Structures are given as C-alpha cells and as structure tokens.
Amino acid sequence: MSFTDRTDALMALLHPGDKFPSLTVAQVGGGFLQLPDELDGHFGVVSFYRGSWCPYCNAQLRAFQRAKDNLAEVGAQVVALSVDDEATTAELVAKHGLGFGVGYVADARALAAATGAFVNDDPLFLQSTGFVLNPAGQVAVGVYSTGAIGRLVPEDVIGLIRYLPAHAA
C-alpha cells in the first residue's frame, strides 16, 4: 500500500455521529445483511473479522456469542463479516454456534473505501474493524486495527451502551 492509499483510507475513517454507510453482504443461511438497516432501531455491533483462520477473531466471535443475553438486555444486536467463502463461514458459524448474522465474501476494498478499514493485500482480507452504532444507524464508536489485535469486546460495548443514554448531550 502506498502512502497515498493510506492517506485516502484515513480520510474515509468513520467518526462518532457519522451515518454508517449502506452495505450489502451475503449472509450464512441465505439472504443478505443489509447494513445499517439490519440493525435499525437497535444499538448495533458491526464486526469485520480477518477470517476463520484467525484465532483472535474466533475468540472475539465466541465472546460476543457468550454475551448474547447481556447484549440483548441493552438492546444490542451483532453482525460480523469477512472475505471468507460461504462454506468456510458456514463451518465457522456451526463450530461456534453463532446466533447472530454472519456475512461472507465481503469485498475488502469496497468496505475499506466506505469505512476506512485497513486491508491486508496478500492474502487479501480486512483487518479487524468494529463499530458500535446507535439506534439511528450512526457511529457511536469505531475501532480500527492494523493487525491481529485491537478489537471490540462485549463488556466494553455493553458498558458504552449503558453509558450513552445517561450522558447524551
């Protein structure tokens, strides 16, 4: 990636209050994840994970699945997506019993252009990127990573969602 590409990516970073861009990604089990509409009226977690091969991503996805009841208590829904193919993603969903929407064959470059997510070029995948959206589909927090670590965790998301209404401007 050249310096110019990095500058362009940084200019695309989503900031608190920005409307999350419209994205459509095929979903395991059929249909499509249509973001942010999929989360309309709820707090949402949108997680771009590196791939089923990444142990940190697997741990994050399992953590969000384990926290499903606590997330539901604060009105939060979770979606995740990667560049993995359908069969690999379906296997990941089954292996971890994921009960939230998981998208596959995401266009890494298009998502990077729309959100500012960092991309690994060879092999091509999105670096871990996470967003917490408010019920209107606006970014409350964006977490961008350039590598394997640095990502949203359920406890922080739940704490933030509890904090936001009490401290709204």
Side-chain angles (χ1 to χ4, degrees):
M1 181 181 283
S2 71
F3 178 75
T4 302
D5 293 337
R6 286 190 196 125
T7 302
D8 292 345
L10 291 175
M11 292 189 310
L13 294 177
L14 296 177
H15 299 278
D18 288 350
K19 181 74 173 166
F20 193 80
S22 294
L23 307 173
T24 301
V25 179
Q27 178 176 229
V28 170
F32 295 90
L33 291 174
Q34 296 182 326
L35 301 173
D37 298 346
E38 185 85 18
L39 305 167
D40 192 38
H42 300 275
F43 282 98
V45 176
V46 179
S47 178
F48 301 169
Y49 67 97
R50 299 169 80 213
S52 66
W53 51 268
C54 174
Y56 298 100
C57 298
N58 278 264
Q60 180 190 36
L61 294 169
R62 285 191 312 266
F64 274 100
Q65 180 59 38
R66 283 191 309 270
K68 67 179 180 173
D69 293 339
N70 292 334
L71 289 159
E73 284 177 16
V74 296
Q77 296 181 353
V78 176
V79 296
L81 53 98
S82 79
V83 301
D84 283 349
D85 63 33
E86 181 178 11
T88 302
T89 306
E91 183 179 316
L92 176 78
V93 168
K95 176 181 176 181
H96 298 308
L98 302 179
F100 48 82
V102 181
Y104 61 90
V105 191
D107 182 331
R109 299 222 185 279
L111 288 176
T115 66
F118 291 90
V119 174
N120 188 82
D121 288 321
D122 188 21
L124 182 64
F125 62 84
L126 291 159
Q127 293 291 2
S128 177
T129 309
F131 302 95
V132 177
L133 307 183
N134 69 21
Q138 297 169 309
V139 175
V141 167
V143 177
Y144 293 89
S145 179
T146 59
I149 62 171
R151 57 189 65 234
L152 291 172
V153 296
E155 295 81 8
D156 289 348
V157 170
I158 293 164
L160 175 69
I161 291 171
R162 286 185 174 138
Y163 175 88
L164 288 174
H167 295 87

